[in-house]
Amino acid sequence: MTLLPPVRAVLFDKDGTLFDFNATWMPLYLDTANEVAGGDKALALKLLVESGYDAATKRLDPHSSLAAGTNAEIAEIWARVAGGDWTVARLTRRFDANFAKSMEMRPTPVTDLAALFGRLKAKGLKIGVATMDSHAAARAAIETFELVGLVDFSCGYDSGHGHKPGPGMVHAFCRAIEIPAGDIAVVGDTPHDMHMARAAGAGLAIGVLTGVSPREVLADHADRVLDSIAELDALLA
């Protein structure tokens, strides 16, 4: 196994990386689809399927909008499928409101986040969170799980740094902490996260299996694939 490059900072994805994706997001997606469909179960299922849900396996396509897209991207699909009064703008507002409830529902962290982040900070590492959810949702997660003071940077799809898999979120993190991309590890659960790392010139792309992507999918794009971020301590020792 090749030696790892030096790492001075870690940029984490949020859902599927810090939090178990299926336990946190699938109930919200199902509830929102039923709401938009007005109780029409066939339409609700079609909304989910068209945006990346596999009804047979009950999992998401890791390349799909539900797995890795913005709320606006999901809204574009659902507006086309649902029709009627459900415009893209109205659906985006509904998603922002409904998905913000993920913090109220106490999403399932994949490990003790404060303890892990504390250990990483003790190693001298800077920490960031970059999500395709909103910036407000990222800040809510940081506050809810007592990570304020441990996280040096956070951004969402609406922060003005572009979207994954583009490099903008990584570059914004680099500017904020004044560390070059080659010294940064990007950690995420989707190919989009890995592609973002590559596009930005990040030193290390680390995939985790707590989200929507199986090992064989991430292995094609990541330098390392971990069962979860709980293994990051040992990797970066």
Side-chain angles (χ1 to χ4, degrees):
M1 188 173 287
T2 58
L3 292 175
L4 296 178
V7 172
R8 298 167 58 197
V10 183
L11 182 63
F12 291 93
D13 171 53
K14 179 168 73 72
D15 301 302
T17 302
L18 302 183
F19 304 104
D20 181 282
F21 189 95
N22 288 324
T24 301
W25 282 96
M26 285 315 302
L28 283 169
Y29 285 154
L30 291 169
D31 287 349
T32 305
N34 284 324
E35 177 187 350
V36 172
D40 181 334
K41 293 188 181 299
L43 177 56
L45 181 59
K46 186 174 182 181
L47 291 169
L48 295 168
V49 168
E50 289 289 323
S51 47
Y53 179 67
D54 186 320
T57 64
K58 294 182 170 55
R59 295 188 65 85
L60 299 180
D61 176 347
H63 301 279
S64 70
S65 295
L66 285 181
T70 67
N71 290 352
E73 288 169 346
I74 301 169
E76 287 179 6
I77 297 170
W78 286 26
R80 171 176 52 80
V81 174
D85 295 332
W86 288 108
T87 64
V88 172
R90 183 184 176 199
L91 278 165
T92 301
R93 289 193 298 271
R94 176 58 63 192
F95 291 158
D96 286 343
N98 283 13
F99 297 169
K101 295 176 184 175
S102 64
M103 286 304 116
E104 297 173 16
M105 296 169 62
R106 291 292 296 190
T108 305
V110 300
T111 190
D112 184 330
L113 298 177
L116 172 63
F117 282 20
R119 292 192 298 271
L120 295 178
K121 296 294 282 188
K123 296 177 189 287
L125 299 175
K126 298 289 187 180
I127 294 174
V129 176
T131 177
M132 289 291 269
D133 200 358
S134 67
H135 185 222
R139 290 305 307 174
I142 290 166
E143 292 167 5
T144 299
F145 287 86
E146 300 180 353
L147 305 177
V148 175
L150 296 172
V151 174
D152 302 285
F153 170 88
S154 64
C155 68
Y157 80 90
D158 53 356
S159 296
H161 306 308
H163 302 156
K164 303 175 185 180
M169 292 180 172
V170 178
H171 289 164
F173 181 43
C174 293
R175 290 192 297 271
I177 62 174
E178 299 182 329
I179 290 176
D183 291 345
I184 289 172
V186 172
V187 185
D189 70 305
T190 72
H192 270 33
D193 295 307
M194 304 301 97
H195 295 160
M196 175 179 72
R198 301 298 187 213
L204 197 59
I206 301 171
V208 291
L209 302 177
T210 45
V212 298
S213 303
R215 184 179 296 274
E216 58 269 23
V217 169
L218 287 174
D220 287 340
H221 308 286
D223 296 303
R224 295 287 190 278
V225 179
L226 308 178
D227 286 338
S228 83
I229 59 171
E231 298 178 356
L232 202 56
D233 262 345
L235 184 68
L236 300 180

